[in-house]
Amino acid sequence: MSRPPVVLLVEDNPRNLKLARDVLEYAGFSVVVAATGEQGVEQARETLPDVILMDLQLPGIDGFAALELLRGHDATAHIPVVALTAFAMQRDRERALDSGFAGYLEKPISVREFPAQVRRHLPRRDDGGAP
């Protein structure tokens, strides 16, 4: 049996973090969490998740700075990083995508749609389950 996909969730709001983690775990994901951009970068380097969901507004370094650090490190450069944010303006979405985020998900999340939205950003696993 293949291992569940690993999601790193970088979110500083405890209620948003709990909801997203609970929804993803119920849908069969393994979830690792971090509350700051720095912790997110550190967790990504330690766990090498399949996908990272990154809030843009974080204490310490923001999601954009964290993305730059992830892209600049060989071990994490290939991991899809998806912006997860309450910013809903079109220019915010464009800025995130232009900055190198693999996608853009808006908060509040849709409990029903969120797992499928995250799955769309998982790298394809053609070799029987290994990332």
Side-chain angles (χ1 to χ4, degrees), residues 5-11 17 21 24-25 29-35 39-40 42-44 46-53:
V6 178
V7 175
L8 169 57
L9 179 59
V10 186
E11 168 65 68
L17 185 124
R21 183 182 60 214
L24 291 172
E25 287 178 345
F29 290 88
S30 176
V31 181
V32 180
V33 299
Q39 289 174 356
E42 189 176 314
Q43 277 285 25
E46 286 178 19
T47 60
L48 301 176
D50 296 302
V51 66
I52 300 169
L53 304 179

Side-chain angles (χ1 to χ4, degrees), residues 49-53 67 71 76-82 102 121-123:
D50 296 302
V51 66
I52 300 169
L53 304 179
L67 176 67
R71 290 290 169 257
T76 57
H78 68 283
I79 300 171
V81 182
V82 178
H121 293 287
L122 289 173

Side-chain angles (χ1 to χ4, degrees), residues 6 19 23 37-38 50 62 74 83 92 100 117-119 122:
V6 178
L19 176 62
V23 168
E38 292 88 347
D50 296 302
D62 67 11
D74 287 344
D92 295 320
Q117 291 171 326
V118 173
R119 267 193 197 92
L122 289 173

